[in-house]
Amino acid sequence: MPRLTSDARHKVSFTLNGHAVTAEAEPRLLLTDFLRHVVGVTGTHVGCEHGVCGACTIQIDGQPARACLTLAVSIEGADVRTVEALAPRDAEPGRLSVLQEAFRRHHALQCGFCTAGILMSLDAFLRDNRDPSEAEVREYLSGHLCRCTGYVPIVAATLDAARELRDGGFNV
Amino acid sequence: MKPPRFDYVRAHSLAEVTHTLAAEGGDARVIAGGQTLVPMLSMRLARPKVLIDIMGLSELARIEATENGLRVGAAVRQATLLAHPDLARLQPLLAAALPWVGHAQTRNRGTVCGSIAHADPSAELPLVLVALGGEVHLAKRWRQRSVAAEAFFLGLMSTARADDEFVAGVTFSAARAGQGFAFREFGRRHGDFAITACAAVVDERSTRLAVGGVADRPVARTWENLDGTALEDALNDFAYSLDARDDLHASARLRRDLVRKLGAATIAEARRCRV
Ligand code: FES
Ligand code: FES
């Protein structure tokens, strides 16, 4: 049976934002550190490192998950999306997704530390809930801590983005 | 906060899991969703030499309605069970309690059995299992056994599981006609562990209340259907019997009061829900 030894680095192959990636990780490496330090994608932030703050939230196989509660070796074969994937790829530089643009309009971020995680959660949330209520947005946000905004502008931006997407906006 | 070193085994069969457990004894731990074990590794509260990842085992990823109830395998994620189309019919108490387990973002990874194996005294799923009188299925090399929920939870994060066993599945008893269920929780924020949580199961003759977050494990009592002051007295006795402690989050007195008030409200709701 495949046993990955503790003192060596092992190949991990997965899909990151649509591209096939292979990189090496020790079994004990967290996915947060793997993405930031080994693969070199630093949009995912690290706050508490024990699952409480939500800053490290990414999407694994389409579902929001805490990167800091995931071992890098366990994502072999998985489809991982990080905040880098949100803005439309082939559009002109600086172009944001509907959700990101709504965040900008509503001042839904200040220091931005929590933002990458919140965007990845809400991106999946809006994909599955086209017409969410404020209560549903707030419940979903309960998995994230933001020390700056007081959440009001985040909720407003999310509801605004949902409206725009219903009216035919593309690319959450 | 980084985990200490360990070997990592991606199991491809049940035999691989049980053989590794038999060979490594207490130095091996099974990892499923990792939502509890990874932070424990990071905080170095757990220092296994080997982790055995069971998420690749399709035989553990099943949700089955059996004659004993709803059997949930060790690789079933909490979000998957919550999304099961028949959950509210098969077992309404699970449907009511699951949204209180962590956050959507952790339910997407965390497993039902992982929460039960961890046995946090304030966690919702162990409480539901005790309230329903369910069973925990333990597997080891060449052998399986099933333990009643109330005999499985021994104390603070301590269970009847031996070092060479792992929780392969749990069975929540199915809902019967004439039963009513309710779940209520008091915590500081939605998604936090409960300060006190109550689950009630009632039928035409009896009332069963299980309480989490007060004693060192979920505890249940069953009474004949009581009302008024008789019910208040029973709840009061129950509250005192749980040996509540003061801690950072709440005083013992608040916890006893929550057993009385939240308990009564949960029972009343379950009675209204009887079908
Ligand atoms: S860094 Fe992962 S939840 Fe805080
Ligand atoms: S914008 Fe600063 S923590 Fe949310």
Side-chain angles (χ1 to χ4, degrees), chain B residues 183-235:
Chain B
F183 178 88
R184 292 200 180 195
E185 173 170 316
F186 180 83
R188 295 177 75 89
R189 297 182 314 158
H190 184 85
D192 283 5
F193 276 116
I195 289 175
T196 298
C198 292
V201 182
V202 303
D203 61 20
E204 52 289 336
R205 284 188 318 281
S206 66
T207 299
R208 183 172 168 86
L209 182 71
V211 171
V214 182
D216 62 355
R217 72 196 90 165
V219 179
R221 281 278 188 292
T222 308
W223 303 282
E224 286 176 19
N225 275 333
L226 304 170
D227 280 302
T229 51
L231 179 60
E232 279 171 31
D233 288 348
L235 285 171

Side-chain angles (χ1 to χ4, degrees), chain A residues 108-115 118 145-149 154:
Chain A
L109 61 153
Q110 288 175 31
C111 77
F113 200 85
C114 66
T115 312
I118 291 184
L145 292 176
C146 173
R147 297 292 78 185
C148 300
T149 62
I154 299 179

Side-chain angles (χ1 to χ4, degrees), chain A residues 4-10 12 24-34 38 49 67-74, chain B residues 1-9 31 37-39 41-44 46-51:
Chain A
L4 311 185
T5 48
S6 64
D7 48 2
R9 299 216 240 147
H10 307 273
V12 183
E24 292 191 340
E26 285 177 40
R28 71 186 192 115
L29 192 67
L30 299 174
L31 182 52
T32 35
D33 292 336
F34 185 56
V38 181
E49 254 183 351
C68 76
L69 298 187
T70 308
L71 298 174
V73 288
S74 75
Chain B
M1 291 210 309
K2 314 291 177 192
R5 289 175 188 276
F6 48 79
D7 287 0
Y8 176 89
V9 173
I31 184 165
L37 188 51
V38 175
L41 294 169
S42 289
M43 291 187 260
R44 311 228 168 171
R47 291 171 168 273
K49 293 217 179 80
V50 187
L51 283 188

Side-chain angles (χ1 to χ4, degrees), chain B residues 81 164 170 193:
Chain B
L81 183 60
D164 60 348
V170 293
F193 276 116

Side-chain angles (χ1 to χ4, degrees), chain A residues 1-8 26-30 33 46 48-52 57 60-61 63-66 68-71 73-76 121 139-145 151, chain B residues 1-12 16-17 19-20 24 31 33-36 38-39 41-44 49-51 53 99 102-109 189-191:
Chain A
M1 89 193 80
R3 181 169 182 141
L4 311 185
T5 48
S6 64
D7 48 2
E26 285 177 40
R28 71 186 192 115
L29 192 67
L30 299 174
D33 292 336
V46 186
C48 66
E49 254 183 351
H50 66 282
V52 176
T57 304
I60 305 177
D61 295 329
Q63 301 303 326
R66 306 280 202 240
C68 76
L69 298 187
T70 308
L71 298 174
V73 288
S74 75
I75 58 146
E76 175 73 37
S121 264
E139 153 125 33
Y140 212 77
L141 272 176
S142 75
H144 292 274
L145 292 176
Y151 304 100
Chain B
M1 291 210 309
K2 314 291 177 192
R5 289 175 188 276
F6 48 79
D7 287 0
Y8 176 89
V9 173
R10 195 173 289 128
H12 290 104
E16 275 178 12
V17 181
H19 282 250
T20 311
E24 309 278 345
I31 184 165
Q35 302 300 287
T36 311
V38 175
L41 294 169
S42 289
M43 291 187 260
R44 311 228 168 171
K49 293 217 179 80
V50 187
L51 283 188
D53 188 336
H103 304 282
Q105 296 86 352
T106 59
R107 289 194 296 271
N108 283 337
R109 304 295 290 174
R189 297 182 314 158
H190 184 85

Side-chain angles (χ1 to χ4, degrees), chain B residues 94-119:
Chain B
L94 267 178
L98 268 169
W100 293 87
V101 178
H103 304 282
Q105 296 86 352
T106 59
R107 289 194 296 271
N108 283 337
R109 304 295 290 174
T111 61
V112 174
C113 290
S115 167
I116 284 163
H118 180 59

